Amino acid sequence: MDIQHAVDNPNRLWCMTEVDIFRDIDAAEMDAMAQAAPRKEFKRGSLVYSPHQRVETLFILKQGRIRIFRVSPDGRTLTTAIVEPGTIFGEMVIVGQQMHDSFAEAMEDVVVCVMTKADVQTLLLGDQRIAARISETLGRRLGALEQRLSDAVFKSVPQRLATTLLTLSEGQPAPLGRGQHVNLTHEQLAALAATSRETTTKVLGEFADLGVISLGRGRIAVIDRQRLEAIRGD
Amino acid sequence: MDIQHAVDNPNRLWCMTEVDIFRDIDAAEMDAMAQAAPRKEFKRGSLVYSPHQRVETLFILKQGRIRIFRVSPDGRTLTTAIVEPGTIFGEMVIVGQQMHDSFAEAMEDVVVCVMTKADVQTLLLGDQRIAARISETLGRRLGALEQRLSDAVFKSVPQRLATTLLTLSEGQPAPLGRGQHVNLTHEQLAALAATSRETTTKVLGEFADLGVISLGRGRIAVIDRQRLEAIRGD
DNA sequence: GGGCGTCGGTAAGCGCGCTCACAGACAGGC
DNA sequence: GCCTGTCTGTGAGCGCGCTTACCGACGCCC
């Protein structure tokens, strides 16, 4: 089922299908959940949630990309995650946490499904399999975050950019023209690698000179993963 | 029950008592778990686990402190957590993750209880209440880690040190002599705040000049939380 | 008491990467 | 076409904090 088809599909179960943590749930259970998760749309650039509004809901991303980020007192931003379709986000509410000062912004026009905290408690945590999946997801995030923290502390900007590019491009199959594409601007990449736009531009230029990536407007093609891994170190 | 008494107590349930995530488990259940968790001791300075040995066990810390840290290629260390008695650690194995390049080192002589992965699966994850507690713990850690990442990126060294001191001292009741004590050397503090020992010494000296802390060998007393919070920012 | 290891204090030097300040390139709208 | 906004490219300057290199102070063990 391609994405456009899914969007047009009036099927009530649509919110649950093709979402990783629900993969082994049967139709009857999904039906109950789907009723509790109405669909909602956001325009590119709008905020899905922010620290001010105390949203206590879980989101399931069906279409588009979401950027989760934090803001420093002086206005700089650090992107902590980019959410792809088929993933839940805003999971902190599941485990009784605040959304801890994070913003969620639609990178494109997006479609999400929304579940209230109460429904999360009864429908998700009540199910052993889903609860286990959620723990697993949290564990993975924890490992990734710890890695990012040590990267931020130990690694140089070129190393962090190489790391970020490799992470973003993995899984993406190489389309025509050889090389996996990362569809981000230098500014967006800078916010992920915790650096400035200017140095990002400079370092990406050096990478391109070495032939490990090739640059396009809002689009970076990873040509030589091996050498990028060498730059990343460890 | 004071700690020394607990250590000497031959009670089989000893491993479970006074541990936060087990607080509402009844005696019969605890008994089953306690059999699966033999007691083990480590000398000050020894490693409880390291990335090389693939330990697949969960630890329950009963006495002493444990430092969880990562090491950079060039040998610098970043402390990701200091574990206090009554807390589980090595939890990544619960959620099917590796211990992801972390070391665990005994800061003093320590006593731990050990559970195998298999026992964790059946005894802990099988119990709804404990599973929920574990998710909660993971969520808390996730929030704290995200905060630490953005601190590492956005804040200056004095701000990070103030943050670290406040975090370490909170909960500690002020003993004689006014001021909550943080029992760490400058070097240990530096590894927590992701900075160097020398700048830590310098900044702590400035804090002491301002009168917000007072210094002793391997011991820092927080005198004025308010002003420390002002330095921390946000 | 003497010796030694850890801990704390201090200073000079310098390099990475941020800030600030432009300027050209590309895309889309009208 | 032209205008506008975003994106990319480039350079000068400089400051925070790391590095390197000591040395004195304290505490513990013999």
Side-chain angles (χ1 to χ4, degrees):
Chain A
M1 190 197 311
D2 71 315
I3 289 176
Q4 194 50 50
H5 177 215
V7 171
D8 296 338
N9 192 339
N11 184 344
R12 296 227 316 289
L13 297 184
W14 172 78
C15 267
M16 297 1 262
T17 58
E18 301 186 21
V19 175
D20 54 355
I21 64 163
F22 300 129
R23 55 186 169 222
D24 44 20
I25 303 305
D26 68 41
E29 288 174 290
M30 268 201 203
D31 191 47
M33 295 183 197
Q35 290 192 40
R39 168 195 165 129
K40 200 164 173 187
E41 299 182 16
F42 292 88
K43 284 273 166 218
R44 167 197 164 101
S46 63
L47 290 177
V48 177
Y49 63 75
S50 71
H52 319 299
Q53 13 162 309
R54 20 172 79 256
V55 272
E56 295 228 314
T57 49
L58 175 73
F59 298 90
I60 302 160
L61 181 58
K62 291 302 291 185
Q63 193 178 67
R65 287 182 298 172
I66 300 267
R67 170 179 167 241
I68 313 291
F69 65 102
R70 283 165 162 259
V71 180
S72 77
D74 56 309
R76 290 189 299 151
T77 70
L78 173 72
T79 300
T80 52
I82 289 182
V83 183
E84 302 281 342
T87 319
I88 59 171
F89 66 102
E91 339 79 69
M92 297 312 280
V93 72
I94 302 180
V95 286
Q97 295 291 105
Q98 302 299 332
M99 227 72 104
H100 54 146
D101 306 322
S102 280
F103 296 79
E105 179 195 60
M107 295 175 72
E108 297 115 23
D109 290 0
V110 302
V111 180
V112 298
C113 296
V114 186
M115 282 185 96
T116 68
K117 185 174 182 172
D119 289 326
V120 168
Q121 296 286 354
T122 56
L123 296 176
L124 298 194
L125 296 182
D127 187 304
Q128 290 264 352
R129 293 159 303 175
I130 298 181
R133 283 268 151 69
I134 289 172
S135 286
E136 203 183 307
T137 303
L138 290 176
R140 220 191 314 281
R141 296 268 297 239
L142 211 47
L145 249 183
E146 217 171 88
Q147 183 60 51
R148 265 194 88 190
L149 178 61
S150 77
D151 285 357
V153 171
F154 292 138
K155 290 186 175 174
S156 68
V157 166
Q159 288 178 311
R160 291 201 306 261
L161 282 171
T163 304
T164 308
L165 285 175
L166 285 168
T167 306
L168 289 173
S169 63
E170 82 191 1
Q172 312 271 10
L176 29 83
R178 191 86 158 173
Q180 302 140 309
H181 286 189
V182 175
N183 292 311
L184 294 176
T185 68
H186 295 185
E187 186 141 31
Q188 292 168 328
L189 197 57
L192 271 168
T195 180
S196 69
R197 201 273 309 162
E198 293 87 336
T199 52
T200 300
T201 298
K202 180 167 163 287
V203 172
L204 288 182
E206 290 164 7
F207 285 179
D209 290 345
L210 292 174
V212 299
I213 64 174
S214 84
L215 298 173
R217 198 180 172 79
R219 187 176 55 76
I220 298 160
V222 175
I223 309 285
D224 189 340
R225 292 188 73 84
Q226 303 244 331
R227 270 200 286 171
L228 216 45
E229 283 163 9
I231 292 170
R232 171 181 63 179
D234 314 317
Chain B
M1 188 194 320
D2 71 315
I3 289 178
Q4 194 51 48
H5 177 214
V7 170
D8 296 336
N9 192 337
N11 185 342
R12 293 229 317 287
L13 297 185
W14 172 77
C15 267
M16 302 354 268
T17 57
E18 301 185 22
V19 174
D20 55 355
I21 64 165
F22 301 129
R23 56 188 168 223
D24 44 21
I25 303 304
D26 67 41
E29 289 173 291
M30 267 200 205
D31 190 47
M33 293 182 200
Q35 290 194 37
R39 166 196 167 127
K40 200 164 174 186
E41 299 184 15
F42 291 88
K43 284 275 165 216
R44 168 197 163 100
S46 63
L47 290 177
V48 178
Y49 62 76
S50 71
H52 319 297
Q53 15 164 307
R54 17 171 83 256
V55 271
E56 295 228 314
T57 50
L58 176 74
F59 297 91
I60 303 160
L61 180 59
K62 291 303 292 187
Q63 193 179 65
R65 288 182 299 173
I66 299 269
R67 170 178 167 243
I68 313 290
F69 66 101
R70 284 168 160 255
V71 180
S72 76
D74 56 308
R76 290 191 297 152
T77 70
L78 174 72
T79 300
T80 53
I82 289 181
V83 184
E84 302 281 342
T87 320
I88 57 170
F89 67 102
E91 340 78 72
M92 298 313 280
V93 71
I94 302 179
V95 288
Q97 294 290 105
Q98 302 299 331
M99 228 72 104
H100 54 147
D101 307 324
S102 279
F103 296 78
E105 179 196 60
M107 295 174 72
E108 297 116 23
D109 290 0
V110 302
V111 180
V112 299
C113 296
V114 186
M115 282 185 96
T116 66
K117 185 174 184 175
D119 289 326
V120 167
Q121 294 288 353
T122 56
L123 296 175
L124 298 193
L125 295 183
D127 188 303
Q128 290 264 351
R129 293 160 302 174
I130 298 181
R133 283 269 150 70
I134 290 172
S135 286
E136 206 184 307
T137 303
L138 290 177
R140 219 191 316 281
R141 297 267 298 239
L142 211 47
L145 248 183
E146 218 171 89
Q147 183 61 50
R148 266 195 87 191
L149 178 62
S150 78
D151 285 357
V153 171
F154 292 137
K155 290 185 174 174
S156 68
V157 166
Q159 289 178 311
R160 291 202 306 262
L161 282 172
T163 304
T164 307
L165 285 175
L166 286 167
T167 306
L168 289 173
S169 63
E170 82 190 1
Q172 311 271 11
L176 27 86
R178 192 87 157 173
Q180 302 140 309
H181 287 190
V182 174
N183 293 312
L184 292 177
T185 67
H186 296 187
E187 185 141 31
Q188 293 168 330
L189 196 59
L192 271 168
T195 179
S196 69
R197 201 272 309 163
E198 292 85 340
T199 54
T200 299
T201 298
K202 181 166 164 285
V203 172
L204 288 182
E206 289 164 8
F207 286 178
D209 290 344
L210 292 172
V212 300
I213 65 174
S214 84
L215 297 174
R217 198 179 172 78
R219 187 176 54 77
I220 299 161
V222 175
I223 309 285
D224 190 340
R225 293 188 71 84
Q226 304 245 329
R227 272 201 284 171
L228 217 44
E229 282 163 8
I231 292 170
R232 172 182 61 180
D234 317 314

